[in-house]
Amino acid sequence: MIILKQLLCFGDSNTWGLIPKTNERYPWGVRWTSILQEKLQKVRILEEGLCGRTTIFDDAYRKNRNGLESLPEILESNYPIDAAIIMLGTNDCKSYYNSNPFKIARVSVCVLMNFQNIFHLRKILVVSPIFLGENVWKEEYDPEFDTNSVKTAKALHNEYKRIAYEKNTNIISAADYVQPSETDQEHLTAQGHKILANAIFNAVCKRKVFV
């Protein structure tokens, strides 16, 4: 019997695979998690993306979006897990959370620490999220954000990088490779998913996440 290693992908709508300006999901073979699965044939990808998921904030409009609260059940139900990819922070930039890059990065440590209780640090890859479009806050896009949200999203990587270095954890910036779609200023295009999958695959191999 072949026993596959398991890689948990923990994130929000850009991990779930939301098609911009819809409530639909990109099919298997299009979203980045599935492309990564095709590349890592000896690894089983565990998709744990959820639209609206935050690091530790409770969404006033949708229940069960607090990543830290849901994480213990996810870890237990998917046990055993050999490695993890974490890509959160976009929803934390929403105006009603009234947060900033420093705070978002610091609360992300709570999520990271939960993984540390199970994984060796080298088996975690933090992916700081893509930027938000300059017009994302407008009525025709997503008014849960504001102009400050755009600035906050752009500043996340530098703060995440400090945390990653402190915790000796691997990190890449999704914004180095892909940008949000023009359609909704927030979510990845199909091509964006393909590019991000390649970037994460290269990071997983180069940084020997499974060693």
Side-chain angles (χ1 to χ4, degrees):
M1 181 177 66
I2 299 175
I3 300 177
L4 299 179
K5 290 186 176 181
Q6 298 203 116
L7 171 58
L8 177 69
C9 297
F10 188 65
D12 51 34
S13 53
N14 275 319
T15 297
W16 187 78
L18 183 71
I19 300 174
K21 277 288 188 182
T22 75
N23 292 317
E24 301 299 318
R25 189 183 193 185
Y26 284 117
W28 184 266
V30 177
R31 55 187 184 265
W32 71 262
T33 47
S34 65
I35 298 173
L36 187 63
Q37 174 68 88
E38 293 168 357
K39 291 177 174 293
L40 296 171
Q41 296 183 0
K42 295 183 179 181
V43 174
R44 181 185 177 208
I45 298 296
L46 305 172
E47 296 183 293
E48 282 293 346
L50 180 66
C51 297
R53 177 175 280 150
T54 67
T55 51
I56 65 166
F57 296 114
D58 294 315
D59 192 312
Y61 305 103
R62 289 182 289 184
K63 293 183 179 180
N64 305 317
R65 264 44 186 189
N66 185 315
L68 184 62
E69 286 189 353
S70 63
L71 188 56
E73 292 179 1
I74 289 172
L75 294 178
E76 184 175 350
S77 65
N78 285 294
Y79 181 86
I81 299 169
D82 298 287
I85 295 170
I86 309 171
M87 186 168 71
L88 285 174
T90 296
N91 292 302
D92 297 57
C93 298
K94 290 178 179 178
S95 58
Y96 55 73
Y97 294 133
N98 193 30
S99 195
N100 60 53
F102 177 81
K103 290 181 181 178
I104 294 171
R106 287 294 159 183
V107 298
S108 71
V109 173
C110 298
V111 176
L112 188 59
M113 289 298 290
N114 270 260
F115 279 100
Q116 289 180 22
N117 291 332
I118 298 177
F119 309 127
H120 187 280
L121 286 178
R122 290 182 63 189
K123 293 186 178 181
I124 300 174
L125 175 65
V126 174
V127 181
S128 61
I130 62 173
F131 295 157
L132 292 165
E134 295 293 333
N135 297 310
V136 67
W137 52 272
K138 292 184 177 180
E139 187 65 34
E140 62 267 34
Y141 297 117
D142 193 344
E144 289 186 89
F145 296 101
D146 59 17
T147 54
N148 190 59
S149 301
V150 178
K151 297 176 183 177
T152 298
K154 288 182 177 179
L156 280 180
H157 179 66
N158 285 338
E159 296 297 336
Y160 274 41
K161 186 164 60 175
R162 291 189 181 95
I163 299 298
Y165 288 167
E166 286 177 13
K167 301 299 179 181
N168 193 29
T169 303
N170 295 302
I171 183 170
I172 64 169
S173 171
D176 285 347
Y177 305 94
V178 288
Q179 298 297 320
S181 70
E182 292 291 335
T183 306
D184 73 353
Q185 306 279 303
E186 187 177 354
H187 296 100
L188 294 172
T189 63
Q191 180 64 15
H193 274 269
K194 182 178 181 180
I195 294 170
L196 182 59
N198 288 333
I200 291 177
F201 172 73
N202 290 334
V204 166
C205 293
K206 181 179 180 181
R207 299 166 195 233
K208 300 180 179 179
V209 171
F210 287 102
V211 172

